[in-house]
Amino acid sequence: MRLKTLALAVFAALLTSVAATAPARAQIEVDINRGDVKPLPIAIPAFGGQQGAEIAQVITGNLERSGLFAPIPPAAHVEKTLDVNVQPRFPDWKVINAQALVNGQVTVEGGRLTVNFRLWDVYSEQQLLGLQFTSTPDNWRRVAHKISDAVYERLTGEKGYFDTRVVFVSESGDRLNRRKQLAIMDQDGANPSYLTDGSYIVMTPRFSSTSQEITYMALRPEGSSIYLFNLESGRRETLGNFPGMVFAPRFSPDGGRVAFSVERAGNTDIYVMDLRSRASNRLTSDPSIETSPSFSPDGSQIVYNSDRGGSAQLYVMSANGGGGRRISFGSGRYTTPVWSPTGEYIAFTKQTGGEFHIGIMKPDGSDERILTSSYMDEGPTWAPNGRVLMFSRETPGGAPRLWTVDVTGRIERAAPYPGSGSDPAWSPLLN
């Protein structure tokens, strides 16, 4: 599972020989905070060179799935072949209403793949970005994701989330004989692989925000265990032995602690373990069910759900434990809270009547917004930029599938993974 590295260098060869043929106007940008944002028309013709067409296709798919961009089909392109070292014929792109244009060139020499690309504002006829990436030829997909992130950030002002992976539970078989395997894939559904063999049940995998390490729960006939699994080295180890059922693990932001729940004699409480010393502390002691802990980005607080008030609601407490402060007061049951990487929101699963929802609220409980509604939506996870959520959705009689929704609730679509999956967890941006 070791990741290949990429080198990034500024592509500084700016064009200066061709004067603008149209009046300049304000540089284009996408206002992602508007709920009614209209996708930006963007043209991404095939890059020149080996695998140039495939790289352009990956970039196109990434930007289109974000819901913020509307790639123009290649069949509509007037200028079919572009040289990255020559200014585009802007009238040919204006006539098809392209507001932004991405073009590039791929070269492979001496076992190294080099990709130069440029981002253009078509109407001002100005270059907005020019970069160069180098890697090995078999790593071309990551290069495409890096370019997607660079374009997204330049046009929206926020970090991209395309050079990431998702760990999840792959499910197969019928409802009575469901096989659950720990699986991982690129965020666009490519390169899926299995991390467990399906001989035991796995649940709630979670990424560390500081390394390529995950924690998850394994359930066998003899009991449950929490594992740490390093994706780089392949090392797998248990998080100690606890009497009772252990579940719902999650890393602290610094990667040095794991919070989890322990069920013992009908009571469930939250514990936290220091991974260096392996010392654990009990954080809650109410005679109720406290579970699904999630740290705030600065590591000072934990949000969790508890039924101490009669139904599952969200509470926030100090990361050192102590009395929790309730933050959810709407009708229904609130579960699986997860703090956004930016600290702006807490996402959750909400059940009202016969429906399940994915929602978000501010950490003080204000500004609650329901983003999705269906027969069974649950288990949200944040993209590293705090703009998009992935979750699992199940229809009556069907198997769970992975879906995404943005924080406005407007951009909702099936994730690009064809199989059945649940319990997704998004990685941080890869190094």
Side-chain angles (χ1 to χ4, degrees):
M1 297 305 299
R2 184 176 296 277
L3 287 170
K4 302 291 182 61
T5 58
L6 289 90
L8 165 63
V10 175
F11 180 28
L14 301 178
L15 294 177
T16 58
S17 60
V18 181
T21 58
R25 71 175 200 178
Q27 291 184 341
I28 55 175
E29 60 180 17
V30 179
D31 185 354
I32 60 180
N33 294 310
R34 290 177 50 192
D36 60 345
V37 62
K38 185 176 181 180
L40 178 79
I42 187 170
I44 311 169
F47 288 13
Q50 180 179 333
Q51 292 187 303
E54 291 93 334
I55 288 174
Q57 288 171 0
V58 171
I59 299 168
T60 297
N62 284 335
L63 297 180
E64 191 278 330
R65 281 189 301 275
S66 77
L68 301 176
F69 301 90
I72 297 171
H77 297 177
V78 177
E79 187 179 13
K80 301 295 186 182
T81 304
L82 285 80
D83 185 336
V84 76
N85 295 310
V86 177
Q87 195 173 57
R89 297 199 306 265
F90 290 111
D92 288 350
W93 300 101
K94 292 176 184 177
V95 76
I96 62 172
N97 196 37
Q99 295 184 37
L101 169 67
V102 179
N103 69 322
Q105 178 68 40
V106 182
T107 57
V108 179
E109 185 175 348
R112 299 296 291 173
L113 175 136
T114 300
V115 182
N116 295 323
F117 87 94
R118 300 192 186 197
L119 170 65
W120 303 89
D121 181 332
V122 172
Y123 281 87
S124 71
E125 301 187 358
Q126 294 178 357
Q127 178 177 299
L128 301 180
L129 190 64
L131 296 174
Q132 181 183 89
F133 292 90
T134 61
S135 187
T136 55
D138 62 341
N139 215 19
W140 64 269
R141 291 191 66 91
R142 280 205 63 201
V143 172
H145 293 321
K146 288 285 191 183
I147 294 173
S148 304
D149 283 333
V151 171
Y152 182 97
E153 182 174 0
R154 181 62 184 83
L155 295 179
T156 70
E158 290 197 356
K159 290 286 187 182
Y161 57 92
F162 304 114
D163 188 29
T164 56
R165 297 192 286 180
V166 175
V167 64
F168 62 102
V169 177
S170 174
E171 302 194 19
S172 58
D174 58 42
R175 188 176 295 273
L176 297 179
N177 297 285
R178 188 66 56 88
R179 187 184 192 201
K180 296 189 175 186
Q181 293 176 266
L182 195 64
I184 193 169
M185 64 180 180
D186 296 348
Q187 57 77 30
D188 63 349
N191 300 320
S193 62
Y194 297 113
L195 306 178
T196 60
D197 61 9
S199 61
Y200 54 92
I201 295 174
V202 293
M203 300 174 66
T204 60
R206 302 289 182 254
F207 261 104
S208 168
S209 63
T210 61
S211 65
Q212 289 300 305
E213 190 170 34
I214 60 174
T215 182
Y216 64 95
M217 170 195 170
L219 181 62
R220 295 180 172 87
E222 61 271 22
S224 64
S225 301
I226 291 175
Y227 280 88
L228 299 177
F229 180 35
N230 190 297
L231 296 171
E232 296 287 340
S233 66
R235 181 183 178 186
R236 197 185 315 250
E237 59 181 318
T238 60
L239 198 67
N241 296 313
F242 295 88
M245 178 81 73
V246 291
F247 55 98
R250 193 182 293 272
F251 285 100
S252 62
D254 63 4
R257 294 167 291 165
V258 171
F260 54 94
S261 291
V262 178
E263 187 276 330
R264 193 176 300 157
N267 184 47
T268 301
D269 283 304
I270 294 172
Y271 289 69
V272 65
M273 175 178 283
D274 183 286
L275 295 181
R276 182 173 299 175
S277 66
R278 293 305 171 103
S280 61
N281 293 316
R282 181 177 175 179
L283 302 185
T284 63
S285 56
D286 287 276
S288 52
I289 297 175
E290 276 79 40
T291 188
S292 300
S294 174
F295 287 89
S296 61
D298 64 3
S300 67
Q301 300 179 84
I302 290 177
V303 63
Y304 60 102
N305 59 262
S306 171
D307 66 354
R308 68 184 66 169
S311 66
Q313 300 292 329
L314 304 186
Y315 293 77
V316 172
M317 66 176 171
S318 165
N320 296 319
R325 172 175 53 87
R326 181 173 169 178
I327 63 170
S328 63
F329 293 94
S331 60
R333 300 178 69 255
Y334 294 77
T335 56
T336 66
V338 54
W339 224 301
S340 74
T342 63
E344 186 177 5
Y345 294 110
I346 291 171
F348 54 85
T349 301
K350 183 175 182 178
Q351 181 184 8
T352 57
E355 285 193 320
F356 283 75
H357 320 269
I358 301 299
I360 59 175
M361 66 172 64
K362 295 289 181 65
D364 62 2
S366 64
D367 194 23
E368 179 179 334
R369 283 185 274 160
I370 296 301
L371 305 180
T372 76
S373 298
S374 84
Y375 170 77
M376 179 70 79
D377 286 355
E378 60 182 352
T381 180
W382 290 96
N385 67 351
R387 176 59 50 179
V388 180
L389 289 153
M390 186 177 289
F391 60 97
S392 64
R393 168 171 290 177
E394 189 171 344
T395 56
R401 301 289 298 272
L402 302 179
W403 281 67
T404 61
V405 65
D406 78 324
V407 293
T408 70
R410 185 186 67 84
I411 305 169
E412 180 184 332
R413 58 189 63 196
Y417 175 70
S420 175
S422 62
D423 270 343
W426 222 312
S427 80
L429 283 170
L430 304 177
N431 295 322

